[in-house]
Amino acid sequence: MIKKYMKPIVIFCLVVATILVALALGNLHKSTFWEASLVDLITLVIAIVLSFFITQVIDDDKRRKQCIEDVILEIQSMVGDERCYSVCGRQALLKQQSCANKIKYLKEAGFKDISKDIDFIENEFCEIRDLYSEHNKSERDLAGIQKDIDRHVDGIYDKCDKIRIALYK
């Protein structure tokens, strides 16, 4: 939302700064250059407060995007980890639960612009977990469903990449 207003704001600030520099250079040799009225001080305070507010909003947005990207990268890493689908049931289930929790956290955070993609990731991961729970008895069973797991993992990777790209549009 702020991106579309950023260019006009920057242009306006540059014009105002240019005018102020021109006025300062013109009044530099006058004795009243360093004197300031109450209106001048109030204007200065308003400018400082507004610039601080705009900076904080931009910084908060960057932090939010970075947090989403970090969680998405962790999901990608966990989904691609072979230990998530090993015969060693306890370790695999712990990894799967951790990944499911990260997906749930993203979903609960209410990021409306990526909610459909998060739903897709959640559905694909549920499919993986269902496949694993049905075939985790032996290496041979897991090897038989590896292509299905890989297909779902690729789908999750693609959606994660799409989310990461969409964050910075």
Side-chain angles (χ1 to χ4, degrees):
M1 181 174 113
I2 292 179
K3 283 187 178 180
K4 62 182 172 183
Y5 299 116
M6 192 54 94
K7 191 173 185 179
I9 290 172
V10 169
I11 292 172
F12 176 75
C13 289
L14 287 174
V15 168
V16 169
T18 305
I19 291 171
L20 289 176
V21 168
L23 289 174
L25 290 175
N27 290 324
L28 188 60
H29 299 291
K30 295 182 180 177
S31 63
T32 60
F33 175 69
W34 295 108
E35 294 177 10
S37 68
L38 182 61
V39 174
D40 293 337
L41 293 176
I42 291 173
T43 304
L44 182 62
V45 168
I46 290 173
I48 291 170
V49 169
L50 283 177
S51 64
F52 177 76
F53 174 74
I54 290 171
T55 304
Q56 290 302 313
V57 168
I58 292 170
D59 191 46
D60 288 347
D61 189 48
K62 284 181 183 179
R63 282 191 211 159
R64 176 185 161 272
K65 289 177 181 179
Q66 184 64 43
C67 181
I68 293 170
E69 186 174 13
D70 290 346
V71 173
I72 292 295
L73 287 171
E74 288 178 29
I75 290 171
Q76 274 184 312
S77 173
M78 293 176 110
V79 167
D81 190 356
E82 293 295 324
R83 293 177 294 176
C84 205
Y85 319 109
S86 66
V87 177
C88 179
R90 179 160 171 71
Q91 186 179 11
L93 291 175
L94 287 173
K95 286 279 188 191
Q96 289 176 14
Q97 186 60 43
S98 178
C99 187
N101 287 341
K102 291 183 186 317
I103 294 169
K104 182 181 81 169
Y105 299 151
L106 278 179
K107 189 171 186 168
E108 288 175 352
F111 302 117
K112 293 176 183 154
D113 48 340
I114 59 172
S115 64
K116 289 180 184 177
D117 296 327
I118 294 171
D119 289 339
F120 176 83
I121 291 170
E122 182 180 42
N123 291 336
E124 289 292 303
F125 193 69
C126 285
E127 290 289 326
I128 291 173
R129 290 181 84 180
D130 290 343
L131 282 169
Y132 178 80
S133 65
E134 293 171 6
H135 300 90
N136 66 345
K137 306 299 183 243
S138 70
E139 285 285 337
R140 195 179 73 155
D141 289 345
L142 286 174
I145 62 162
Q146 191 60 44
K147 287 183 183 178
D148 292 330
I149 289 176
D150 289 343
R151 181 173 45 86
H152 291 294
V153 167
D154 287 342
I156 291 172
Y157 269 36
D158 291 343
K159 279 298 178 187
C160 287
D161 289 339
K162 179 185 173 196
I163 291 171
R164 290 176 53 215
I165 290 168
L167 285 175
Y168 298 102
K169 278 188 176 179

